[in-house]
Amino acid sequence: MTHSFAYRSIAGCPRCRRIPQKVNEDIGPEGSKRMPPEVNELRIVLEMEDAGTHRYASSTTRLLKCDLCGTYYYYNHYDDEGEYFMDPPCETLTVRRYDPLTARDFLERLLAGVENVLPNAPGQLTKAFVDNDYNLTTRIAPQGLDAKLAAARAELNELNARYDALLADCAAILQRPEPNWHIQRYALETRFAHFVVQGDWESLSRELLHHPDPVVRIATAQLAIGIGTGDAPVYDILHVTGDALRFLEAQLRKKTRKAELVAVLLDLAVKDSGATLKYDHGCGDSHYDPWPIQTLALYYLVVSASHGANLLEAIPALVGLLSPEKQLNHQVCWVLSTIVEKRKKSAPLILEELEKLRASRKATRRIFNDDNVKKLVEECQRRLPKPEQATRPTILPEPDRQI
């Protein structure tokens, strides 16, 4: 049965505002501790058993829906007593909010066939890693399949009928300050998925990658680079549609796209852009932690450089970030070391900027005595042509200066 009444915006939904974007939990003898109670208030649209598990395991997947705002959720309960005598038992619960296009893709794939429709549960992936056997196939059990297909078809029709309204609601959420990070992230992912499926990088860039809020900008870069390069966790890649994967992989092979993403990330790294939330899978004890946007931007500069982005012009700004703060230096030197590894011309450029820094008022003995900076200097000098190695002076620490 589908509901035809007018849904409220997710931004005003008292239930969904209390449910994070994704939760993963290993269940102990005492039962669930981390799953929000509001998840139990969601309606079960579909429930399917995976017939592809071994005989001592069960995997139940549900498509859930909030009847207040119409938002969809993926739910999985995986219970594995151990296929063999020495196998440890495993029981996990997973819930993640689905943007409308991911929900639509899930329904369409179910209507097209029953094999590999269900994403692999985290417990299945853990077992595959331990067994070193990634030949995983999910298969929907046949019991009650006709009724499930009828429910999926009705839900798909209902979702398609209100898709434009959902899309407009998410655009409106992003146009105003949204204090709930998870709601903002859902709106962002919905708009992001729409532009990706439409093959519309220009709109994605204009609305999301260059959004006034640095939280939106870093999340957009994170999604594009993570999915497009395969750097995103496998738990997330499993829920990305095939069309989205192909589009983003193609975009991330373009020099212009890489350059645009690097420019956005460098701007976020150089400025004090505040903090966002970072999901930690936590080995079955998932949680969200506040995380500096600068740190995330530097990490994705490393990923970009590793996948062929040209960061030569970013070298002066990156060297200018070096400071007496060891953690920041670690991140900056990681980016610069990756540039050195991938770009032959970068070593002398980095050494020149370090020499300028040493001569500037910003230089302190603590910067050049930092092990991260020392290793960077050694790596750059090692990669110089031999004649230049012999003539270039070694960068030594200067006396302490006040910043």
Side-chain angles (χ1 to χ4, degrees):
M1 176 181 176
T2 58
H3 295 246
S4 58
F5 58 83
Y7 294 102
R8 72 176 75 186
S9 168
I10 187 176
C13 180
R15 179 184 296 154
C16 291
R17 292 183 70 84
R18 295 180 178 273
I19 302 176
Q21 279 293 92
K22 49 188 175 183
V23 184
N24 186 71
E25 180 182 13
D26 284 349
I27 307 301
E30 68 282 357
S32 173
K33 287 185 174 181
R34 303 192 67 83
M35 201 58 61
E38 287 78 10
V39 170
N40 294 324
E41 300 173 13
L42 301 171
R43 179 169 62 86
I44 300 173
V45 176
L46 292 167
E47 179 171 292
M48 294 156 287
E49 297 294 331
D50 181 7
T53 62
H54 65 81
R55 60 178 176 167
Y56 298 112
S58 64
S59 181
T60 303
T61 296
R62 295 171 180 167
L63 182 65
L64 304 176
K65 183 179 181 181
C66 175
D67 280 336
L68 300 179
C69 66
T71 303
Y72 294 98
Y73 295 81
Y74 163 88
Y75 167 99
N76 179 267
H77 179 202
Y78 180 75
D79 191 2
D80 189 343
E81 297 178 8
E83 186 175 7
Y84 304 107
F85 177 70
M86 295 299 291
D87 286 353
C90 170
E91 185 178 4
T92 61
L93 279 178
T94 303
V95 169
R96 56 192 301 140
R97 190 158 20 231
Y98 263 1
D99 65 78
L101 283 182
T102 303
R104 186 169 78 182
D105 180 73
F106 183 87
L107 292 166
E108 288 176 342
R109 286 188 293 110
L110 172 59
L111 291 169
V114 296
E115 191 164 285
N116 290 327
V117 172
L118 307 174
N120 295 115
Q124 288 174 304
L125 296 173
T126 301
K127 177 175 170 53
F129 176 77
V130 172
D131 295 344
N132 195 28
D133 180 7
Y134 296 93
N135 187 26
L136 301 175
T137 300
T138 63
R139 189 168 56 255
I140 296 175
Q143 291 84 0
L145 183 59
D146 288 344
K148 291 179 175 62
L149 293 176
R153 191 170 292 106
E155 193 63 43
L156 180 61
N157 291 337
E158 195 268 351
L159 171 56
N160 286 334
R162 63 189 178 92
Y163 177 74
D164 289 343
L166 284 168
L167 200 63
D169 180 47
C170 288
I173 291 172
L174 292 174
Q175 289 170 6
R176 59 179 184 266
E178 173 51 62
N180 187 309
W181 183 94
H182 298 276
I183 298 300
Q184 184 190 55
R185 179 76 183 212
Y186 168 77
L188 183 156
E189 290 186 6
T190 296
R191 299 290 292 180
F192 182 92
H194 174 76
F195 294 138
V196 165
V197 169
Q198 295 293 315
D200 187 358
W201 180 272
E202 287 69 25
S203 295
L204 184 154
S205 172
R206 182 179 62 254
E207 181 176 316
L208 303 177
L209 194 55
H210 295 278
H211 191 278
D213 188 344
V215 173
V216 174
R217 295 203 298 278
I218 189 63
T220 304
Q222 178 185 28
L223 286 169
I225 296 171
I227 298 170
T229 66
D231 181 73
V234 65
Y235 300 116
D236 293 336
I237 293 290
L238 283 170
H239 297 270
V240 176
T241 68
D243 288 342
L245 274 173
R246 287 184 287 273
F247 174 77
L248 291 171
E249 287 170 352
Q251 295 301 306
L252 266 291
R253 288 193 291 267
K254 297 180 179 180
K255 291 182 179 180
T256 54
R257 300 292 185 249
K258 293 176 183 177
E260 181 181 10
L261 287 161
V262 164
V264 171
L265 292 169
L266 187 63
D267 181 68
L268 291 169
V270 170
K271 297 177 180 177
D272 182 6
S273 302
T276 186
L277 291 182
K278 181 174 178 287
Y279 178 76
D280 187 337
H281 183 74
C283 297
D285 187 23
S286 68
H287 52 278
Y288 285 86
D289 300 313
W291 212 258
I293 290 174
Q294 182 184 57
T295 300
L296 288 173
L298 289 168
Y299 171 76
Y300 283 102
L301 284 172
V302 170
V303 177
S304 298
S306 299
H307 286 82
N310 186 346
L311 273 69
L312 292 179
E313 293 184 2
I315 288 172
L318 290 168
V319 172
L321 282 173
L322 293 172
S323 76
E325 184 185 338
K326 284 186 174 291
Q327 183 58 39
L328 177 58
N329 287 351
H330 170 75
Q331 296 290 332
V332 173
C333 288
W334 189 12
V335 181
L336 291 169
S337 296
T338 307
I339 298 172
V340 171
E341 179 185 344
K342 298 296 181 180
R343 297 279 170 174
K344 294 181 180 179
K345 298 179 180 179
S346 62
L349 297 176
I350 293 172
L351 288 173
E352 287 172 11
E353 291 302 322
L354 287 169
E355 288 169 353
K356 291 178 185 178
L357 177 63
R358 185 185 62 171
S360 73
R361 293 181 179 180
K362 291 184 178 181
T364 70
R365 181 180 294 273
R366 289 172 61 189
I367 291 178
F368 287 94
N369 275 337
D370 189 315
D371 288 341
N372 295 293
V373 178
K374 286 181 178 180
K375 290 177 182 177
L376 173 64
V377 171
E378 291 170 359
E379 179 65 20
C380 288
Q381 290 174 335
R382 187 164 53 249
R383 289 179 180 269
L384 292 174
K386 288 187 177 180
E388 193 171 347
Q389 287 183 19
T391 58
R392 181 179 287 273
T394 302
I395 298 178
L396 297 174
E398 287 286 320
D400 282 327
R401 297 177 183 171
Q402 297 295 323
I403 294 181

